[in-house]
Amino acid sequence: MHTKGTTSKFGVIEHYRKYLPVTESTPVVSLGEGTTPLISCPRLSKRVGRAVFVKNEGANPTGSFKDRGMTVAVSKAIERAAKVLICASTGNTSASAAAYAARAGISCAVILPAGKIATGKLLQAFAYEAKIVAIDGNFDDALRLVRELGQGGDFVIVNSINPDRIAGQKTAAFEIVDDLGDAPDFHLLPVGNAGNITAYWAGYREYHVFGNSTKLPAMIGFQAAGAAPIFYNRLIEKPETVASAIRIGNPASWKQALAAITESHGAIDVVSDEEILAAQTWLARHEGIFVEPASAASIAGLFKCCDSKEAAYSFRKIPEQSCIVCTVTGNGLKDPDVIVARVKELKSVPATVNEVRRVVGL
Ligand SMILES: *Cc1c(COP(=O)(O)O)cnc(C)c1O
């Protein structure tokens, strides 16, 4: 799979140093993020009648793509002698910030919407011993607080409004081009605060300028139907979706996301919670890739785009000869609540061969 460009260098800063805002004197804070698998998916490709690769960002050190941006943001923060990091989070930013702060030996405050964080992600923030503040409010409220606190000079903000985060996250696009030997025709991904679609588009453009690819992909972003401010072109006061990582009503990188979509001749669309959960189950069952609900939005979107019967919206269909990459943004173990309900139905049986055969159905 790795045709060129990838080596055993540790972490995205060492891999892609010349494309990143670091110098020889930047202290590199890394947990070996990046170099995630770009998985060729035969059953998924057959299902949609097009060549599909899944970029599995759940394989990063804390289980989401946030680590790519965090290694750069925290390294730069240390270079600037930061003492305390701060972020608002739907879960994965706090997990990543807490881990990289621990790695760097500084402290990290995370502002979370109370009761809205997936179990695995909250557990990570506790495990890395971040200073955790749960607020009565949603993610958008938490980010507003963080912006205010960041002005005082005590805290360095490591949300994706920090440009070092976006710079680091570009490396996912670089890896895809390195692995495929060129850019794909279409790139599908979930959109929440819209930092990632911004970063991918910047990455594809930059790599193209450097002559590493011959084309640019159309960027197609998917929001959850109950949290789709960009799609509906208005603020969503109370965003609701099972996909907690994209439960955002006022995306920080709204304008940049629109630019990525327009410049790349892409689109923004919505998928329902039912479609998201069905896609999550499908990907685990048929390709062995277990992702969190927010991540499955790209797969749900793929099904919507490629299945003409279901494509109820007006952007051009994906031609059959296309090469498609879907980013799945985070590991399924982070957000297990939907599946835990199924686990609880498991009943024990007597320890006999006959009972095992009966339950297995053979
Ligand atoms: C952060 C996150 C997203 C949304 O990414 P944005 O850059 O905010 O658009 C999607 N999925 C997962 C798993 C995430 O952690």
Side-chain angles (χ1 to χ4, degrees):
M1 180 52 67
H2 293 263
T3 51
K4 61 172 183 171
T6 44
T7 70
S8 59
K9 284 177 183 167
F10 191 77
V12 298
I13 293 178
E14 297 304 353
H15 253 128
Y16 294 108
R17 181 172 272 282
K18 77 168 180 172
Y19 302 98
L20 297 174
V22 294
T23 65
E24 286 306 317
S25 56
T26 309
V28 175
V29 181
S30 176
L31 287 163
E33 61 295 317
T35 323
T36 56
L38 183 67
I39 306 171
S40 167
C41 288
R43 286 178 207 84
L44 188 55
S45 300
K46 186 156 181 262
R47 160 82 167 74
V48 301
R50 286 139 184 87
V52 184
F53 295 82
V54 167
K55 180 69 168 164
N56 187 9
E57 290 290 278
N60 277 299
T62 76
S64 87
F65 73 83
K66 300 296 198 296
D67 295 341
R68 293 179 183 277
M70 209 55 76
T71 182
V72 178
V74 176
S75 297
K76 293 301 284 184
I78 297 295
E79 185 177 3
R80 295 171 190 132
K83 294 285 178 293
V84 187
L85 306 180
I86 193 166
C87 65
S89 185
T90 61
N92 282 333
T93 296
S94 57
S96 186
Y100 282 79
R103 179 77 171 162
I106 59 171
S107 65
C108 175
V110 303
I111 317 298
L112 308 173
K116 298 267 170 73
I117 306 299
T119 314
K121 303 175 190 180
L122 195 54
L123 198 144
Q124 287 180 291
F126 275 91
Y128 299 121
E129 297 207 324
K131 296 183 194 305
I132 301 165
V133 186
I135 59 154
D136 301 322
N138 61 24
F139 171 83
D140 301 294
D141 299 317
L143 186 58
R144 181 174 46 76
L145 287 172
V146 163
R147 283 182 193 271
E148 271 178 48
L149 288 161
Q151 281 166 8
D154 298 328
F155 299 101
V156 171
I157 301 174
V158 292
N159 280 103
S160 59
I161 53 177
N162 178 335
D164 298 327
R165 277 275 312 278
I166 304 292
Q169 287 171 211
K170 289 188 303 192
T171 59
F174 300 164
E175 287 178 13
I176 289 167
V177 174
D178 287 342
D179 280 350
L180 291 175
D182 204 342
D185 299 304
F186 290 84
H187 191 117
L188 279 58
L189 76 171
V191 172
N193 221 14
N196 214 26
I197 191 169
T198 303
Y200 268 100
W201 180 236
Y204 280 124
R205 271 181 314 166
E206 189 170 336
Y207 235 36
H208 188 248
V209 167
F210 272 84
N212 296 325
S213 60
T214 66
K215 57 188 174 184
L216 292 167
M219 303 298 302
I220 306 182
F222 293 95
Q223 300 191 296
I230 300 176
F231 179 77
Y232 292 115
N233 192 30
R234 61 180 164 83
L235 290 179
I236 307 293
E237 290 270 324
K238 293 196 164 59
E240 276 309 333
T241 169
V242 66
S244 56
I246 53 173
R247 191 186 289 141
I248 291 173
N250 184 15
S253 299
W254 192 325
K255 278 206 197 90
Q256 295 90 323
L258 283 176
I261 290 156
T262 312
E263 289 168 24
S264 73
H265 308 288
I268 186 87
D269 198 10
V270 286
V271 285
S272 69
D273 280 6
E274 295 68 41
E275 289 171 317
I276 286 171
L277 294 176
Q280 181 193 30
T281 303
W282 198 98
L283 195 65
R285 169 73 180 78
H286 296 281
E287 293 288 1
I289 305 169
F290 177 36
V291 303
E292 65 168 284
S295 309
S298 61
I299 306 300
L302 174 72
F303 291 157
K304 186 172 177 181
C305 285
C306 291
D307 190 337
S308 57
K309 271 175 260 149
E310 289 171 36
Y313 62 104
S314 67
F315 91 83
R316 66 198 157 97
K317 307 277 193 317
I318 295 182
E320 281 188 24
Q321 306 311 315
S322 307
C323 171
I324 302 170
V325 170
C326 295
T327 295
V328 291
T329 43
N331 192 296
L333 290 171
K334 283 171 162 289
D335 196 347
D337 297 354
V338 173
I339 293 167
V340 163
R342 272 153 54 196
V343 174
K344 285 186 179 144
E345 289 166 16
L346 184 64
K347 301 252 179 342
S348 66
V349 297
T352 67
V353 165
N354 281 348
E355 276 300 309
V356 172
R357 282 191 173 279
R358 187 185 60 79
V359 175
V360 174
L362 283 173

